[in-house]
Amino acid sequence: MTFAQIVIAFLIVYLCAYALINRVCQCIEHCATARAYSRFRENGVLVKMDDVKAGIKKSNKEKENVKEIK
């Protein structure tokens, strides 16, 4: 194998691994949003999915700020 073939093979493997990890992360985020949305609906609160996503992001930022203070 030549150096160019090794570099191309490495790039292909890297892109495949990146795409797989990105897909898994998106799935985890979507599942968390769906769970939060269902909890709101169970409690009788009508909200939009965008509001739930914003609330999750805000909650995560607050948790990060608390960790930094400690």
Side-chain angles (χ1 to χ4, degrees):
M1 291 179 77
T2 65
F3 178 72
Q5 289 175 328
I6 292 172
V7 170
I8 291 171
F10 176 76
L11 287 174
I12 291 172
V13 170
Y14 175 78
L15 288 175
C16 289
Y18 178 81
L20 180 64
I21 292 169
N22 186 34
R23 185 74 173 177
V24 170
C25 290
Q26 285 179 346
C27 181
I28 291 169
E29 182 181 1
H30 178 74
C31 291
T33 305
R35 272 195 217 119
Y37 183 72
S38 68
R39 288 184 188 150
F40 280 118
R41 291 198 58 171
E42 288 173 359
N43 293 327
V45 178
L46 298 176
V47 295
K48 296 178 184 175
M49 285 296 283
D50 295 333
D51 295 339
V52 174
K53 286 182 184 179
I56 291 171
K57 288 181 182 179
K58 181 180 176 183
S59 175
N60 288 339
K61 286 181 183 177
E62 288 174 358
K63 287 179 184 177
E64 289 174 2
N65 290 338
V66 170
K67 287 179 183 177
E68 290 175 4
I69 292 172
K70 290 182 180 181

